[in-house]
C-alpha cells in the first residue's frame, strides 16, 4: 500500500508496450502530473506533441492478460490557472447542411479559479459574458497497453480504454480496464477542468493536473471492455462508431457483468435493464465514439458492496 | 380554456391527415384515454391492431404549418392493473455475435399497483423476485400529422414526433411539435408505466392510461424538430438512424433554439453547449432512433421564464 | 395481355392508398409519362410540386398483400431535350470538415440529345467542357402502396420501394415489389437520363419520360424487400440508414431468396455469396440509403429460367 | 531497378515501425511469400499467430512522410493446394433478428487447382456440389507503418491501408499508400484465392502465396487515404465505420485527386462524379469497413497516362 510520487519527463502519444516509468503494486497510490491535450504543463510550456500526451506507463506487479486493473481516481488538482477549448461545435455533431453557415473555429482561453473552484472564458463573447462554470475535473484519456503488439493513438479508444472523454471519470470514480500485457502498463492524461456530454466542441477545458490514483488488481476477470463505478452507479463503456455499435458493446458488457457478478441470467438482466438502464454519451468527436451503459446500485442485490468487481 | 373529456372509439396506426375526433382551442385541456401498444384498453380488451394505436387526432383551432404545438402533459393515470414487456434485450442493442447464445423472447405480464405507485413482474424469475419498480408514466408515441400528404407509421418517428419512447415525456413535461397541417392534428398513445433509456427490450411496461393534457400554440415558430421542457431543463429531439444522425438533428435544433430565443450566436452557444450539454437516448429499438439534447435552465439567461418558447 | 396508354393529369408525392388512375391485369403493358423530380413535364411546365411527383397509382387486378408485383421496364424515352442536376456533391457524402471550403450549390441545366443518345451540360465549366455522357435512363422512384394506412413520402424509400435511385432500374431490368394493399397500387416517376452510383449530387439528370412497363403477379411470394433481375444478375434491395443496415436488409433478403427459390440452405448460400456476391450502392442522399445485393445468374442452378421468381 | 527475392522467417500482426527485413529502392521489384490469415505457409504449417501475419516490413529508400508509396502487384501465385473459409455469413451482415435461426459457423477447406486456375470446396454441401470458382487472387491486408508511434492491428485498417479486403487489389492493380514513416515500411499478407464483395463470410479463400510486386515513390504527394489504379479505373479507398463514413473518406480523397491531378475544381468534379462514379465495398466484416470510390479512366482527360499520380 505504498504511496508514490512520480514526475514525468517524457510522454507518449500512443498506448502500447512502452518501457514503464514506475513499478507499483496492487493497492499502491500514485501522485503524478499530466500535461494538457496539447502537451502544455503547469507553466503552460509545451513538453510533448499532440494528441493527448500520456504520463506513464505504470507497471503493475502481478498484472497479467485476462486480469482487470482497477483505478480509483482519488483527486485531480489543476496545476495552472488557464485552460483552453475550441470555439465551435465540431462539424460531425451538427447537420452537415448548416456547416457552410457557421463561423470559423478558433482556440480560446479559459481562466481556472482554483480557490473558487470555477472556470470562465478569458475573453467571453458578450452573450456569455457572465458564464461561470464549476470546476468538475475528469480524465479524458487513460487506459492500458492494448496487447498483441499494438500501439494505439491517444486520439482514439477501444477495449483498452483510451480517449473516451467521459465526464464520469472524475475524482471519486473508479475505472476498470481489461489487462492485455504483462504489468498492465497504465497511462493517463488529457485532463479536463469541465466538459459536457459528447465533448462536442472537440475539447473539454484542457489543462494540466496533479492526479492521485490508487490501483487494484482483479485476477482472471476476463472483462471485454472498460467498466466503472461511482458512489451511486456501476457502468460499462463501449468505444466504436457509430454510436449504435458503441452502445451494443457497452450493453453486452453490462449483460455479462450482471450475469457473472450479480447472478442475473439474460432474462432477469433484461427485465432489470429494460426498466432502469441509463445511457451516457462519452465523446462523439474522436475516431471511436463512447457510450456508457449505467445501472444504479440501488437495483443490485449487493448494493452495499463497495464495488461489484471488488466484492 | 375549456376542459374536454373525450372517449375514443377508434384508433390510428399512423400519424396523418385523418378526420379529427375533437376540435380544441389554444389553452384548452383534454382528458382522454389511450390503449396500450397492442391495442388493449382498461379492461385488457383488444380494441385496435398494433403498432401503437393512437387516440385522436385533435384539431387545434388556429394551428397552421410553421406554428408550433405545445402540449403540457398534466397527468397520466394507468387505467388497469397490468402491463406487459418483452423478456429479452432487443437483438439490435447487443453485439450480434452473442445473439445465438441468448434464450427466446416472450411477452410477460407486470402488475401495476396504483395505490403503491409501483410495478412488478407477475411471475418473476427467481433472480429478480424482489424487483419492485416505481410507477413513472411516460408517453411512448405522440405527435402531429407530418404534412405533405404523409401518413407515418406509429412504429417510427420523425420531425413530427411519433414513436420516440423518451422517458422524459411524462407528467409535468412539455412537448412541442412543429405544425405541418391545418389544425395540427395531434395524436397520442403508447403509454408506459415505466421504461429505461433506449426502450431496449423493445417495450416499456405497456399499459392503458387516462391522460390529461393542455395545448398551446406558438405562431410562426419555424421549429425543425420536437422540443420539450421540464422543471429543470429545455431539450430538443432528433429522430433518425444511426444515433449519430439523431444526435446531429437534436444538436442543430438546440443551436437554432439558443440562437433564436436566447440570443446566443453559434460561438456563444458552442461555449455553453460544449461544457454543459447533456444527451439522453430515447429509443434504440424503433426504425428511427431518438436522441435528446438537453440544457439545464440554470445556464440560460431567462431561467425564470416558464418556457423558452412561451416566454 | 392488354396494352394501355395512360396520360396522367395529377401526381402524388407519397406512395399510399390513393384512388387508382387505371386498373390493369397480370400481364398487361402500360405506356405512360412521368414528370421530373421537380414536377416538370415534356414542355418543362411545372405540373406538380416536389418531391418526385408520381404517376399512378395503377391497380393490379388480383394483387393482394403477400403477393409480389413484378414490373418489367420495357422502355424509357425522354420527352424533352433538357434535364437538370445540382452542381455540387451533397454535404453528407464528403468529410464534414471540408464543407466550409466548398462553393455554393446551384441547379444547372443539361442538354439531352435524343438522336445521339447523349447528355451534356448546357453551360459547362471549362474543365468539363467536353464531357458528353451516354443517355442511360433509369427510374429513381417507384414502388407500391406501403400498407397499414401509411403514405410514405417519395423523398424516401422502404420495403415498398420508393426513392431508391438505383441506376440498375433501367430499360430491360425487372423490379419486384412486395404487395401490401389490395390491388398493389403501383406508382412511378423521378426518371433520370443518367446517374452515377449513390446519386451523390442529390440528383441524377432529372427529366420527363415516356415509360413502357409490363406487370406480372407472383402470388403468395412473401418477399420482405424489393428484388430485381437483369439479363445477367438477380438482386435484392435494402433501404435504410446507415448503409450498414441497408446492406443487412439486402443480404438477408438474398439469403431468403436463395433458400426459397434455389434450394440453397444458409451454409450453401453463404459459400456462394461469400465468393461471388456484388454490392451496389443505390443512393446515399435520401433519408433512407439504398444497397443492392447482387448475384450473377451464372452461379445459379437455374440460369436458363427467365426469372427466379417467375420460374 | 533491382529484383529481390525475400523469404520471410518472422511475421507481424501489426503495421508499425518494426525493423525492416529488406531495404529496397524506388523501382525495385520484390518476390516474396505470404502465409495465410491464420499464419499457415505453403506446407500448411502454422508459422505465426492470427490475425493476418504480415511479411515485411520493406524499407523503401528515400521514402519520407508526405510521400506516396506506389505498389504494383505483378503476380500472385498460390503456394499450396488448399485454402479455407468460414461456412456462414458473418453476424453483422444480416438482420440481427435472423441470427438465432442460423446454424453454427465452421472453418471449411477448399481445394485450389493451380493448373485449372479454379477453386472448389473439399467437402461441399450437396446444394453447391458443383460450385467451381475461378482463382482470382487478391491481397486482403497490406499497407505501411501508420506513423506517430502507432502499431495498428492487421485485423483493421485506416489511412495507412491494412485489412481492407478489397477484391480489386489483385495482380495488375496498383495500390498507393500515404507514407508516414521514414522508409515507408511496407507490409503485405492475407492473400485470398477468391473473395466476393464485403468479405461477408469473414474470410476470402485464405491461402499462402508467392507475390511479386514493384514499388515506386511519388514525392510530396500529400495523399490522405490509399488510392489505386487498374487498367480501366482509378480509385480511392476509405476505411471506417459505418460504411457512410468510409464512403465520405473515399469520396473526399477522390475530390482531392481530381482537383490536384486532373484540374477539376469541386463543381467540375461534382458534375463528373455525380454521373459516372462507381462505389465498391471492400469489407463489411473488420472493425473498419472499406468503401472504394472509382472512376473509369475514359472520363479523365489524361486517359493515356499510365497512372494519374505517376503521369
Amino acid at each position: 500500500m505504498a504511496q508514490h510520487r512520480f514526475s514525468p519527463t517524457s510522454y507518449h502519444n500512443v498506448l502500447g508496450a512502452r518501457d514503464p516509468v514506475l513499478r507499483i503494486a496492487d493497492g499502491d497510490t500514485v501522485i503524478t502530473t499530466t500535461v494538457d491535450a496539447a502537451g502544455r504543463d503547469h507553466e503552460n510550456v509545451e513538453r510533448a506533441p499532440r494528441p493527448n500526451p500520456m504520463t506513464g506507463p505504470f507497471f503493475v506487479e502481478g498484472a497479467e492478460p485476462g486480469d482487470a486493473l482497477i483505478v480509483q481516481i482519488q483527486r485531480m488538482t489543476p496545476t495552472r490557472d488557464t485552460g483552453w477549448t475550441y470555439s465551435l461545435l465540431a462539424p460531425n455533431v451538427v447537420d452537415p447542411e448548416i456547416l457552410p453557415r457557421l463561423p470559423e473555429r478558433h482556440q480560446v482561453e479559459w481562466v481556472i479559479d482554483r480557490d473558487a473552484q470555477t472556470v470562465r472564458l478569458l475573453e467571453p463573447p458578450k452573450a456569455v459574458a457572465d458564464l461561470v462554470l464549476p470546476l468538475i475535473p475528469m480524465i479524458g484519456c487513460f487506459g492500458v497497453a492494448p496487447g498483441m503488439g499494438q500501439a494505439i493513438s491517444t486520439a482514439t479508444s477501444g477495449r483498452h480504454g483510451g480517449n473516451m472523454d467521459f465526464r464520469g471519470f472524475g475524482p471519486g470514480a473508479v475505472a476498470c480496464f481489461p489487462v492485455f500485457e504483462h504489468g498492465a502498463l497504465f497511462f493517463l492524461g488529457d485532463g479536463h477542468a469541465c466538459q459536457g456530454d459528447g465533448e462536442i466542441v472537440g475539447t473539454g477545458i484542457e489543462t494540466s493536473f496533479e492526479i492521485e490514483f490508487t490501483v487494484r488488481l482483479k485476477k482472471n476477470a476476463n472483462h471485454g471492455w472498460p467498466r466503472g463505478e461511482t458512489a451511486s452507479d456501476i457502468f460499462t463503456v463501449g468505444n466504436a462508431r457509430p454510436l449504435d455499435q458503441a452502445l451494443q458493446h457497452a450493453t453486452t458488457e453490462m449483460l455479462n457483468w450482471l450475469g457473472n457478478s450479480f447472478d442475473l441470467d439474460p432474462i432477469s438482466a433484461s427485465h432489470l435493464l429494460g426498466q432502469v438502464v441509463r445511457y451516457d454519451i462519452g465523446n462523439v468527436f474522436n475516431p471511436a465514439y463512447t457510450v456508457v451503459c449505467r445501472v444504479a446500485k440501488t437495483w443490485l442485490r449487493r448494493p452495499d458492496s463497495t464495488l461489484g468487481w471488488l466484492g
Side-chain angles (χ1 to χ4, degrees), chain A:
Chain A
M1 304 292 209
Q3 193 189 68
H4 309 264
R5 283 193 172 264
F6 174 74
S7 291
T9 53
S10 65
Y11 301 88
H12 295 284
N13 298 107
V14 294
L15 279 67
R18 298 302 191 253
D19 289 339
V21 293
L22 188 70
R23 297 175 78 94
I24 60 180
D26 186 349
D28 282 5
T29 295
V30 176
I31 298 172
T32 190
T33 59
T34 56
V35 291
D36 74 18
R40 293 181 175 272
D41 71 1
H42 64 291
E43 294 178 314
N44 213 9
V45 175
E46 190 181 320
R47 299 292 179 188
R50 301 183 183 214
N52 299 323
M54 294 283 106
T55 297
F58 299 93
F59 182 101
V60 182
E61 308 278 0
E64 297 298 341
D67 297 346
L69 177 68
I70 298 163
V71 178
Q72 181 139 19
I73 308 169
Q74 308 282 13
R75 180 174 55 86
M76 295 182 68
T77 308
T79 57
R80 68 178 201 250
D81 295 329
T82 61
W84 59 271
T85 60
Y86 291 123
S87 62
L88 193 67
L89 294 182
N92 58 306
V93 305
V94 294
D95 291 337
E97 292 76 11
I98 74 163
L99 289 173
R101 301 201 304 266
L102 296 182
E104 266 188 67
R105 185 182 83 157
H106 296 284
Q107 188 170 321
V108 296
E109 295 294 302
W110 293 69
V111 177
I112 300 170
D113 184 330
R114 288 178 278 185
D115 294 329
Q117 294 279 300
T118 58
V119 191
R120 60 182 169 78
L121 283 158
L122 178 62
E123 297 175 344
K126 197 173 167 188
V128 287
D130 54 1
L131 179 65
V132 180
L133 299 164
L135 175 66
I136 306 179
M138 52 162 279
I139 300 179
C141 182
F142 64 154
V144 296
M148 301 286 290
Q150 296 173 89
I152 296 184
S153 169
T154 54
T156 192
S157 58
R159 291 178 178 272
H160 67 292
N163 197 24
M164 300 175 284
D165 292 308
F166 172 49
R167 64 185 174 77
F169 284 133
V174 168
C176 182
F177 302 99
V179 173
F180 300 100
E181 289 277 355
H182 177 59
L185 300 175
F186 174 67
F187 297 79
L188 78 166
D190 186 28
H192 299 166
C194 188
Q195 187 207 285
D197 283 355
E199 201 194 32
I200 60 176
V201 293
T203 64
I205 298 176
E206 310 285 334
T207 193
S208 52
F209 279 93
E210 182 176 278
I211 299 180
E212 180 176 343
F213 64 91
T214 302
V215 299
R216 288 204 186 83
L217 271 182
K218 184 184 179 192
K219 296 298 294 178
N220 305 310
N222 292 314
H223 296 176
W225 288 92
R227 298 178 177 186
E229 186 170 342
T230 62
S232 57
D233 295 85
I234 66 169
F235 61 86
T236 53
V237 182
N239 302 311
R241 273 205 199 188
L243 284 168
D244 311 23
Q245 193 187 20
L247 183 144
Q248 290 176 331
H249 294 330
T251 306
T252 302
E253 184 72 9
M254 181 57 80
L255 194 67
N256 290 339
W257 193 356
L258 294 179
N260 294 334
S261 300
F262 298 96
D263 296 324
L264 292 173
D265 60 283
I267 284 179
S268 297
S270 296
H271 285 316
L272 182 67
L273 291 175
Q275 306 311 321
V276 310
V277 76
R278 295 292 178 266
Y279 288 108
D280 295 315
I281 290 180
N283 88 81
V284 283
F285 174 73
N286 306 326
Y289 291 166
T290 296
V291 171
V292 171
C293 177
R294 183 163 50 87
V295 175
K297 290 181 191 175
T298 186
W299 298 115
L300 302 173
R301 284 207 177 168
R302 309 192 304 186
D304 53 336
S305 100
T306 316
L307 297 172
W309 18 272
L310 283 179

